[in-house]
Amino acid sequence: MDLKELLQHFNDGDTVGENWEVIELMRFYSREAQKITMEINTKYHEPDELAQLFSELIGKPVGENFGLFPPFYTDFGKNIHTGNQVFINSDCKFQDQGGIYIDDGALIGHGVVLATLNHDFAPEKRQQLHPAPIHIGKNVWIGANATVTSGVTIGDNSIVAAGAVVNKDVPANVVVGGVPARFIKNI
């Protein structure tokens, strides 16, 4: 199995934990992500250097005018996709095996968690993981310390209030907040 096949496994939503080849390859890329994020997080880099390191982390070019304020953490890295003019503020944590898609102009606040894996509910299968993507639309603003869970799409131009936990899709052009996040108002 190679990276392309592993990404296909994740993107198809196939269970992780039943096949040791999948687990070992996932762990290999997790260690690679640790090395790159350590480089990102432990010394100062000019913006173009950060964009280059992030491109190395995700295995493809970042969009134009990409911005990142470290520290940044991910436990995989290879299933993050960024559009143009994306900004990721400090102390964000991305669990991206299921896929994280960030469209043009999105702003990700301090300490945001994007989690694309869920453990199985059945206690005897709790070690198994179920990937599902997160899609963040154009010009979305996710406030500080918000959490977005697997399978969620946030529509274009919407705002997620600081500290919210988003566990359901958010339509375009709205503000949501709370735990769990719910509609606050239209934009």
Side-chain angles (χ1 to χ4, degrees), residues 47-88:
D48 59 331
E49 293 174 306
L50 283 173
Q52 181 58 42
L53 284 165
F54 204 85
S55 291
E56 182 182 343
L57 174 68
I58 67 174
K60 61 189 118 354
V62 295
E64 293 179 24
N65 300 313
F66 173 81
L68 172 69
F69 282 1
F72 174 81
Y73 304 95
T74 183
D75 61 357
F76 184 65
K78 298 300 186 210
N79 213 358
I80 299 171
H81 311 269
T82 63
N84 297 321
Q85 298 178 333
V86 166
F87 177 72
I88 301 170

Side-chain angles (χ1 to χ4, degrees), residues 136-186:
I136 299 169
K138 293 178 181 173
N139 302 311
V140 166
W141 173 21
I142 301 178
N145 296 310
T147 297
V148 180
T149 62
S150 65
V152 167
T153 295
I154 300 173
D156 293 349
N157 306 313
S158 286
I159 298 171
V160 174
V165 175
V166 184
N167 63 356
K168 293 184 176 141
D169 288 353
V170 174
N173 302 304
V174 300
V175 177
V176 298
V179 179
R182 57 194 169 279
F183 173 83
I184 295 175
K185 67 179 182 176
N186 289 312

Side-chain angles (χ1 to χ4, degrees), residues 89-139:
N89 218 323
S90 63
D91 204 29
C92 289
K93 298 162 186 74
F94 289 11
Q95 180 192 54
D96 64 291
Q97 287 88 340
I100 295 174
Y101 301 85
I102 306 172
D103 284 346
D104 296 348
L107 305 172
I108 312 296
H110 290 88
V112 167
V113 174
L114 303 179
T116 67
L117 291 175
N118 270 328
H119 289 273
D120 201 279
F121 282 16
E124 66 277 4
K125 295 181 180 181
R126 191 69 39 89
Q127 297 296 320
Q128 295 180 3
L129 301 168
H130 304 284
I134 292 172
H135 293 268
I136 299 169
K138 293 178 181 173
N139 302 311

Side-chain angles (χ1 to χ4, degrees), residues 1-81:
M1 175 175 277
D2 61 13
L3 177 59
K4 183 178 178 181
E5 293 168 317
L6 179 63
L7 287 170
Q8 190 62 53
H9 183 89
F10 292 144
N11 294 336
D12 287 345
D14 293 338
T15 299
V16 178
E18 298 172 335
N19 179 330
W20 278 104
E21 184 179 11
V22 169
I23 293 168
E24 287 304 312
L25 193 56
M26 183 175 72
R27 288 178 179 169
F28 171 82
Y29 285 105
S30 294
R31 290 187 299 275
E32 181 178 280
Q34 290 170 8
K35 290 175 190 174
I36 298 168
T37 56
M38 181 67 76
E39 175 67 23
I40 289 171
N41 295 338
T42 58
K43 67 181 183 179
Y44 176 78
H45 298 281
E46 291 294 329
D48 59 331
E49 293 174 306
L50 283 173
Q52 181 58 42
L53 284 165
F54 204 85
S55 291
E56 182 182 343
L57 174 68
I58 67 174
K60 61 189 118 354
V62 295
E64 293 179 24
N65 300 313
F66 173 81
L68 172 69
F69 282 1
F72 174 81
Y73 304 95
T74 183
D75 61 357
F76 184 65
K78 298 300 186 210
N79 213 358
I80 299 171
H81 311 269

